[in-house]
Amino acid sequence: MKKLFLFGFTAMLGMGILSLSSCGKDGADGIDGINGAKGSDGSGGATGPQGTPGANGATGATGTPGTPGSAGLKSNTVTVKDWVYDEITKQYLGFIINNNITQDVLENGMVQVFMITNDGRYVALPATFYPNAYTSYKTGFSMMLQQIRIELQYPTLTQGPLPGLISFKMVTMGKEFTSAHKTLNLSDYNQLAPYLYSGAE
């Protein structure tokens, strides 16, 4: 009888201790572990095949025409005030120094002289002018190395009135210019003007 009591008490005590153990609070979390070492990079993939070339683009628009060339073209304007009468040729002469008249221009190029009238016109020489209803005179020119001679003559072949101030535009054209502009009327100032004002002054 005594053994049976001890056995029962012992069993109850064990169950109590087990019960107390299962009802205890959870412990605090432990600290994080150290990160593992980084793994090695994988090998690169193989290069893919070259793509098919694209189609050619459309042709662009035509560009704007360039400025007319004036290579070999030079000009300058001079006013003649000192006239000399030549008794032999019966004409007034005016002498102009022009360094643009080189030997090459004389042999391979061209020289054109324009008289500038009072109303602003450029008249190619030789030409006949009528300053009034009663008077006329013919004006021309001749040239030599680095010089132009203006020649003014009255139809009566007399000395006539002394010419006043007259302005002339002299244009010298080398072979480079005349060869490149064979269809140009080199005695027409209106055709020469675009080239003169694109770099010849």
Side-chain angles (χ1 to χ4, degrees), residues 121-137:
R121 292 180 298 120
Y122 289 77
V123 181
L125 302 184
T128 299
F129 297 89
Y130 301 87
N132 54 58
Y134 310 100
T135 308
S136 67
Y137 56 84

Side-chain angles (χ1 to χ4, degrees), residues 89-110:
T89 60
K90 305 298 182 183
Q91 57 188 358
Y92 281 99
L93 305 177
F95 297 91
I96 302 172
I97 299 299
N98 190 327
N99 294 326
N100 294 329
I101 304 177
T102 62
Q103 192 64 40
D104 184 62
V105 169
L106 292 174
E107 294 177 358
N108 304 302
M110 178 177 175

Side-chain angles (χ1 to χ4, degrees), residues 57 123 142 146 159 173 178 183:
V123 181
S142 58
Q146 297 184 345
Q159 185 167 348
M173 294 162 269
T178 56
T183 61

Side-chain angles (χ1 to χ4, degrees), residues 165-186:
L165 300 177
I166 303 178
S167 295
F168 300 90
K169 191 173 191 70
M170 298 164 292
V171 181
T172 57
M173 294 162 269
K175 183 179 179 180
E176 184 177 5
F177 183 82
T178 56
S179 298
H181 302 282
K182 294 181 179 180
T183 61
L184 201 66
N185 182 356
L186 301 178

Side-chain angles (χ1 to χ4, degrees), residues 49-60:
Q50 181 177 352
T52 303
N56 293 330
T59 302

